[in-house]
Amino acid sequence: MPYELPPLPYDYNALEPTIDEQTMRIHHGKHHQAYVDNLNKAIEGTEFDGRPIEALLGALLDIADDKQTVVRNNGGGHANHSLFWQIMKPGGGGEPTATSPTRSTTFGTAPTR
């Protein structure tokens, strides 16, 4: 079964004014769609056709050398964008609610010149 462009979980204009409707239409409907189309073309008729995207990317080294880059770039782009659409949301953002250590407490301070 070929990969498909997932529908957005919100309207194209739902993230305005941060991201405008036209940008969302282009990025979702053309850019992400190109990842899906190129990925499907690369694995069509292979043993990898129909695998979940995570399994496909996990088996990257088992894929023919001439297809690895296409599958990595387009499969990774598809997986990344699919997650991207889910974690963005209207009214999202704001201040972090959890604290984390600062870089200096984790790694020490950087030397000065």
Side-chain angles (χ1 to χ4, degrees):
M1 176 176 189
Y3 295 101
E4 296 180 352
L5 181 69
L8 285 178
Y10 37 78
D11 291 334
Y12 284 108
N13 65 355
L15 301 177
E16 290 184 340
T18 306
I19 303 175
D20 66 90
E21 180 177 352
Q22 181 180 7
T23 299
M24 288 297 294
R25 286 188 183 280
I26 292 169
H27 204 85
H28 179 259
K30 295 187 186 224
H31 180 71
H32 188 171
Q33 184 67 61
Y35 282 137
V36 171
D37 293 343
N38 291 332
L39 177 59
N40 285 331
K41 189 184 312 179
I43 63 167
E44 182 178 25
T46 71
E47 65 184 278
F48 301 99
D49 196 356
R51 287 193 186 184
I53 191 65
E54 297 83 1
L56 176 67
L57 294 173
L60 194 58
L61 295 177
D62 298 328
I63 296 171
D65 290 345
D66 65 327
K67 294 185 184 256
Q68 280 185 16
T69 299
V70 173
V71 171
R72 182 188 65 235
N73 292 350
N74 291 283
H78 171 50
N80 191 31
H81 281 74
S82 295
L83 175 63
F84 183 65
W85 307 132
Q86 295 299 315
I87 61 175
M88 292 194 316
K89 64 181 180 182
E95 294 299 317
T97 57
T99 59
S100 63
T102 64
R103 182 183 59 86
S104 62
T105 59
T106 302
F107 300 105
T109 56
T112 58
R113 295 182 187 191

